[in-house]
Amino acid sequence: MKLIKLASESVGKGHPDKICDQIADGILDQCLKQDRNSRVACEVLAANHLIVIGGEITTKAYVDVVKTAWNVLKPLGYNENDFTILSNINKQSSNISQIVNKSKNDLGAGDQGIVFGYATNETSSMLPLPLVLSHELIQQITKLVDAKQLPNVKYDMKSEVIVNYDGIKPVSIDTMLVSVQHEKNANLNNIKKVIIDKIMNPLAKKYKMDLSFNKFVNKAGEFVIGGPIGDTGLTGRKIIVDTYGGFAHHGGGAFSGKDYTKVDRTGAYFARWIAKNVVGAKLADRCEIALSFGIGESKPLSMSINTFGTNKIPEDKIVKAIEKTFNFNLSNIIKELNLKNINYQPLAVCGHFGKDPNKYYFEKLNKTSLLIKNTK
């Protein structure tokens, strides 16, 4: 049996890039909470002791963007002496606004873009196992830090998981690797023991994997200087962590800080919804949906599908069923996925997909029966 090694990674909420994503989505949430028609394209840079908030925002809301940034930073252990925060926000271009707001009941895409959605039946969340394990490592370590069961450990952390595949089936874990920021006086041996015994091994057992895999915790040694003081952070720089861990294509745009008229985000959520329902309907074991959008257009210009040879019926039949089942109009996508009313900030850490379908409708398996019916 020749095994293929496939890897994915994740990062914690104290990682400098994720700090920026959380601030950008926190500002978006504050705008939408007060004005559901807000137009937001927010970017954040965090470098050393300086945080700069920029972008284009047109809204009736009043949002204190500096305060919103501190709402992200303070729970991570930072205080006002750690950062100077600058705001440089402009309004949305009138040219773009005119194209997006086509009419009262119709919206056009705010830009051109290519997006992808993916699903696989190898886990209950329909995400690749290495990515799921990478995220769960970060989530479990974060819970221990929150509960003060990992003394002197901070929130800047990284994980990577390598899984052995026999064809398309994950059969064993090759490696789990974690790096966590910590205080200078932290006991690294104790940190390693807790993470391996309380998190790595139980996770492997949860997914019915053997425990004889490589386990590395802070393999490079000390990790004292972290967050934006250790490395520059920027919105949209963890796009593979945000999506499918390298198991699918990624379009040209990131998600965080962008409102629902931005097809980089909404189109990718829509494509995930389609792909997940195709797999949920057992029309394929794996599915990748690609959509392309044109600026000002109300619908995608094209759609294609790749089931990686796992389709149970011809792909052209699946495409026809998708076209019958889903409404591709941008205004309808926003409505069906409830994108004016969700909280975006929780999506900024440990992936945008695989979250609670009751909160994030693009994770719902609510079109499977209709898809099956439309294949007849």
Side-chain angles (χ1 to χ4, degrees), residues 93 167 206 303:
S93 160
K206 175 182 175 181
M303 180 191 74

Side-chain angles (χ1 to χ4, degrees), residues 8-173:
S8 291
E9 64 174 343
S10 187
V11 297
K13 61 184 179 181
H15 187 282
D17 294 331
K18 281 294 145 198
I19 287 174
C20 294
D21 286 343
Q22 290 171 88
I23 292 172
D25 273 339
I27 291 168
L28 171 63
D29 284 343
Q30 289 297 314
C31 289
L32 292 177
K33 185 177 180 180
Q34 300 174 53
D35 177 8
R36 297 298 182 193
N37 295 313
S38 296
R39 298 289 180 262
V40 180
C42 183
E43 306 287 353
V44 181
L45 167 72
N48 199 7
H49 294 277
L50 176 67
I51 292 177
V52 180
I53 302 170
E56 298 77 46
I57 298 177
T58 299
T59 182
K60 296 177 182 176
Y62 170 73
V63 178
D64 186 333
V65 297
V66 173
K67 181 180 179 181
T68 303
W70 280 117
N71 289 340
V72 171
L73 293 163
K74 286 184 177 179
L76 299 175
Y78 296 107
N79 61 55
E80 282 84 353
N81 295 322
D82 291 315
F83 298 108
T84 297
I85 302 178
L86 302 179
S87 174
N88 184 26
I89 301 289
N90 296 315
K91 290 187 176 181
Q92 184 181 62
S93 160
S94 58
N95 295 148
I96 296 174
S97 177
Q98 181 178 329
I99 291 168
V100 171
N101 302 308
K102 298 180 71 172
S103 70
K104 184 178 180 180
N105 300 312
D106 196 21
L107 291 174
D111 202 349
Q112 67 182 46
I114 305 166
V115 300
F116 296 88
Y118 179 77
T120 172
N121 65 3
E122 66 192 70
T123 64
S124 60
S125 62
M126 296 190 180
L127 292 172
L129 181 60
L131 181 67
V132 171
L133 290 170
S134 296
H135 286 328
E136 289 198 30
L137 278 170
I138 294 297
Q139 290 164 341
Q140 293 299 322
I141 295 170
T142 299
K143 285 181 181 178
L144 290 185
V145 176
D146 287 342
K148 304 190 185 309
Q149 294 179 24
L150 268 178
N152 301 317
V153 172
K154 298 184 177 182
Y155 291 102
D156 186 358
M157 59 187 76
K158 306 173 184 179
S159 68
E160 185 174 331
V161 177
I162 303 169
V163 172
N164 295 310
Y165 279 75
D166 179 11
I168 66 170
K169 182 182 179 182
V171 293
S172 63
I173 298 170

